[in-house]
Amino acid sequence: MAPTTSYFSLSLFFFFFLSFALTSSSSHGSSTITTHLIHRDSTFSPSYDAAETVAGRAARAAEASLARHRYLSSLKDMPRDAEAGLVLAATVNVFYVNFSIGDPPVQQLAVMDTGSSLTWVKCMPCSPCSPGGGAAATALFDPAKSKSYYALPCTDDCKKCDAEHCMYTMSYLGNQTSEGVLASEQLTFLAPAGGGETQTAVVPSFVFGCCSSLTGVGSSVDPNFNGILALGSGHFSLVNQFGDKFSYCTGSLADRSYPHNRLSIGRGAYLAGDTARVSLRDGAYNVFVTGITLGGQALNISQEVFLKMSDITRGVFIDTGAELTFLYTEAYDAVKAEVIKLASGVLTGVNPTAPYELCYKGTVGQNTKGFPALGLQFAGGADLVADNNGMFKQVQDDVFCFAFVRSPAISVVGMMAQQGYNVGYDLDQGVIHFQSMDCQILPSS
């Protein structure tokens, strides 16, 4: 089922946007949101499970990536005026973001999603939103207790309404839905600003979905999950309501204690490094691959393959909801053949398990040292280079696999390939910046 959304018309959105005059404030007068990103499996995550095995984490990451790929593959079938969505399952949670909503503020834990354009959170009363235990049970937002909450009225421009208020419905793959009221509310983000200070960014009058009903979700949702923080290109996304720039920087996904993963939105987003052209497709981000290298050497792949990877039925998405990277089958075959050649006599192959086609005995840290890095070259000149940690994933204590997956349709650049980079989106210029770095050296916003 293709994801769809009922929502305000564009003209009504701009009416409220102008009426409430979106601004930002902070202890330094900044117009930038800067906050930590929390990897789902990190020690900073409420979902962290010290007893979970390597195999368990790897299986969940593979399931999540496949679900995300199915979702992005469905975009070509979506109506042009639809907003993108997210496959609602506990397994899709790659990075969480903490923020507070309302006055007084109520802390939320939402999934960062660059493929979604409507932020929504669970609101009281909500059915069956209450997780029945866990930290999020005390964090459900009650709009009746907030002085800054404003439910948007039902007008002739509203696509769906009850007797008084404009409503939204988001339908996802697997007959899952999030429904509720479209409303305006205050968001607050906190992040260390250096020197022991705390920087505060406030987004007043933010249009979001106040979810009162989740169907088809049931127990599949992580009990610590409160909603979606949408960073897609659609009208209601946080990016469009706050500015047209954002960046995220992540360290090694395998390092569960890495503390410097960061998200910045607005004027102070970090934009540096080589650029890749980006186009906006149903709220998600489409990039254009022009070549693939291994060890700096260009692979012999027909240009026609890359043209196919840029057309509307295939395309290449850059995404935060998948860990693995998917390549269109003809490009994948060329990469796979070269990896087999380079691994011959160096790595000991073992029988692969789906979705992987190449698996080896040992550990990524020890057995892949010196293995040539894989580079994706983009229109605009940027190279995104995946080293051994970006190319291979530990799937058992003594087995690792090539973390690029064959796709008969779209390609997806997942977060394993992006780790170790600051990725900066400049929607006004239509480019994405890539700069390899340790996130802890990022300048303060």
Side-chain angles (χ1 to χ4, degrees):
M1 181 181 68
T4 60
T5 308
S6 299
Y7 56 98
F8 272 128
S9 70
L10 181 59
S11 61
L12 188 61
F13 167 77
F14 277 113
F15 169 78
F16 281 105
F17 183 89
L18 294 173
S19 297
F20 291 112
L22 180 65
T23 59
S24 173
S25 64
S26 79
S27 57
H28 300 287
S30 171
S31 59
T32 303
I33 296 168
T34 299
T35 189
H36 292 297
L37 287 175
I38 305 168
H39 190 271
R40 192 263 181 217
D41 291 332
S42 76
T43 56
F44 307 104
S45 169
S47 301
Y48 174 70
D49 181 0
E52 188 173 33
T53 64
V54 169
R57 288 194 301 273
R60 186 161 37 75
E63 181 186 349
S65 297
L66 291 168
R68 188 65 169 182
H69 182 266
R70 287 193 298 271
Y71 156 65
L72 290 170
S73 297
S74 74
L75 289 182
K76 66 180 182 294
D77 300 321
M78 291 175 62
R80 279 296 171 189
D81 63 349
E83 298 284 352
L86 177 70
V87 180
L88 285 179
T91 54
V92 305
N93 303 351
V94 180
F95 281 100
Y96 292 125
V97 180
N98 265 323
F99 62 92
S100 295
I101 187 168
D103 180 15
V106 179
Q107 189 171 353
Q108 305 293 301
L109 187 71
V111 175
M112 178 181 75
D113 182 25
T114 54
S116 180
S117 291
L118 176 67
T119 293
W120 60 265
V121 300
K122 301 172 186 176
C123 292
M124 295 178 64
C126 185
S127 176
C129 299
S130 182
T138 59
L140 291 183
F141 175 59
D142 186 350
K145 295 180 180 179
S146 174
K147 293 181 289 186
S148 51
Y149 179 82
Y150 178 76
L152 301 184
C154 185
T155 70
D156 291 340
D157 291 320
C158 184
K159 298 287 182 78
K160 179 182 180 181
C161 60
D162 62 9
E164 300 180 62
H165 303 126
C166 192
M167 311 293 289
Y168 81 92
T169 298
M170 295 193 73
S171 299
Y172 303 91
L173 297 176
N175 296 318
Q176 301 173 5
T177 62
S178 169
E179 298 179 290
V181 175
L182 275 173
S184 168
E185 187 50 283
Q186 173 177 286
L187 302 187
T188 303
F189 295 82
L190 298 176
E197 297 182 18
T198 298
Q199 179 170 297
T200 302
V202 177
V203 185
S205 307
F206 177 76
V207 176
F208 78 110
C210 196
C211 176
S212 59
S213 176
L214 285 174
T215 59
V217 179
S219 61
S220 67
V221 171
D222 189 322
N224 297 297
F225 161 93
N226 286 74
I228 303 296
L229 185 72
L231 297 178
S233 60
H235 305 310
F236 290 139
S237 79
L238 181 56
V239 178
N240 271 339
Q241 292 193 56
F242 191 78
D244 58 9
K245 299 174 177 60
F246 72 98
S247 61
Y248 52 83
C249 187
T250 59
S252 171
L253 303 190
D255 183 353
R256 290 184 286 170
S257 60
Y258 185 76
H260 304 295
N261 297 322
R262 196 172 89 173
L263 169 69
S264 295
I265 306 170
R267 193 165 58 195
Y270 189 67
L271 305 177
D274 294 333
T275 60
R277 287 195 292 110
V278 64
S279 65
L280 311 180
R281 180 172 163 193
D282 296 307
Y285 298 102
N286 216 174
V287 289
F288 305 93
V289 174
T290 59
I292 300 177
T293 61
L294 259 177
Q297 299 298 312
L299 299 186
N300 184 21
I301 303 175
S302 168
Q303 186 64 31
E304 183 178 334
V305 173
F306 296 118
L307 292 175
K308 289 179 181 178
M309 290 173 68
S310 297
D311 72 24
I312 192 65
T313 60
R314 297 179 180 88
V316 183
F317 289 93
I318 183 165
D319 186 57
T320 59
E323 288 199 15
L324 306 181
T325 290
F326 295 78
L327 286 178
Y328 178 55
T329 186
E330 293 176 53
Y332 179 85
D333 283 338
V335 173
K336 176 184 176 181
E338 191 65 19
V339 171
I340 290 174
K341 183 192 304 183
L342 292 170
S344 178
V346 178
L347 300 177
T348 302
V350 297
N351 290 331
T353 56
Y356 307 106
E357 296 187 18
L358 298 175
C359 293
Y360 301 95
K361 187 172 181 59
T363 63
V364 174
Q366 293 200 358
N367 294 86
T368 65
K369 288 181 179 177
F371 200 91
L374 188 152
L376 297 175
Q377 300 175 321
F378 297 102
D383 286 345
L384 181 64
V385 180
D387 60 12
N388 59 336
N389 286 315
M391 289 176 63
F392 297 101
K393 185 170 184 64
Q394 201 74 38
V395 298
Q396 296 178 23
D397 289 337
D398 59 349
V399 175
F400 62 92
C401 298
F402 182 51
F404 284 62
V405 178
R406 178 191 305 276
S407 170
I410 68 161
S411 301
V412 178
V413 181
M415 287 306 298
M416 281 188 65
Q418 299 177 61
Q419 65 186 339
Y421 275 84
N422 184 83
V423 184
Y425 294 66
D426 187 336
L427 303 189
D428 181 56
Q429 298 297 316
V431 296
I432 297 177
H433 296 254
F434 295 100
Q435 184 164 31
S436 177
M437 63 162 44
D438 187 335
C439 304
Q440 68 177 317
I441 69 172
L442 279 169
S444 297
S445 299

